[in-house]
Amino acid sequence: GDTGGELGEKGDTGNSSSLPTPKDVKSEVKATAKHISRVDGDFLPAPPSQLVRESRFAKDVTAMMGWCENDLTYFSDTSIKTAEDTLDFISMYAGGVSQQNIQQLLDMYSVTEFTAAPGKDGLSAEFYRASRIFRDILMVCEPLWYGEHLASAGNTVYFYN
C-alpha cells in the first residue's frame, strides 16, 4: 500500500493522494528558487536574466538544450476538460500576466491540434493543450531565449526536441 512518503518510495501505489498537485510543485519550485538563485555579488553578481542580457557568461562554449514532447504532462492537472479549465490552469502559473495576454497565448494553441487519450485515463484533448502550453512556457521559451543570446555572442548552440 501507500507508505505516505515521498513519491516513488518503495510501496507507493501511485494513488492520486500521493502525487503532487500543480500548486504543490509551484510552491516547491518557488521555495527552491529562493535558495539557488540568490545574488551574492560574488558567485552570482547579478540576476541571471541580467547577466544573459548583458552577455556576462562564458564565451567560446558549445551548448545543447532541449525538451521532450510531453515533458510537463506529469505536472499538469489531469482534471482539465474544458477551455475554462485550461485558462484557470495557465493563469495560476502566469500570475503577473494580463488576462488579455493569456487569452492571446491560448489562441495560439487550437484544441483541434490535440487528441484525447483513449482508455481508462481519459485525458482530454484540452488536458494535452494545457500541458503543451505549460511545457512551452517553462521548457521551451527559456532555452530559446538563452540560446539566442549565446549564439549572438558567437557560441555554438544546439537544440533538440
Side-chain angles (χ1 to χ4, degrees), residues 22-115:
K23 196 176 221 176
D24 295 335
V25 172
K26 184 177 179 184
S27 296
E28 186 174 326
V29 167
K30 281 184 175 181
T32 303
K34 288 180 184 178
H35 299 289
I36 63 173
S37 62
R38 184 165 288 142
V39 174
D40 63 2
D42 181 29
F43 180 76
L44 194 58
S49 59
Q50 179 183 339
L51 297 173
V52 171
R53 280 192 311 274
E54 295 174 356
S55 296
R56 293 168 58 191
F57 45 75
K59 307 297 189 288
D60 196 26
V61 297
T62 300
M64 183 184 314
M65 295 173 261
W67 50 90
C68 295
E69 189 69 22
N70 290 313
D71 268 348
L72 291 177
T73 55
Y74 177 79
F75 299 104
S76 299
D77 184 348
T78 58
S79 69
I80 294 172
K81 303 276 187 235
T82 67
E84 187 69 28
D85 294 339
T86 297
L87 174 65
D88 292 344
F89 179 74
I90 298 302
S91 294
M92 179 175 68
Y93 286 97
V97 178
S98 73
Q99 286 299 304
Q100 179 183 357
N101 285 339
I102 290 175
Q103 191 58 55
Q104 287 177 336
L105 173 65
L106 297 179
D107 290 345
M108 295 169 62
Y109 295 80
S110 171
V111 72
T112 60
E113 296 176 25
F114 302 92
T115 306

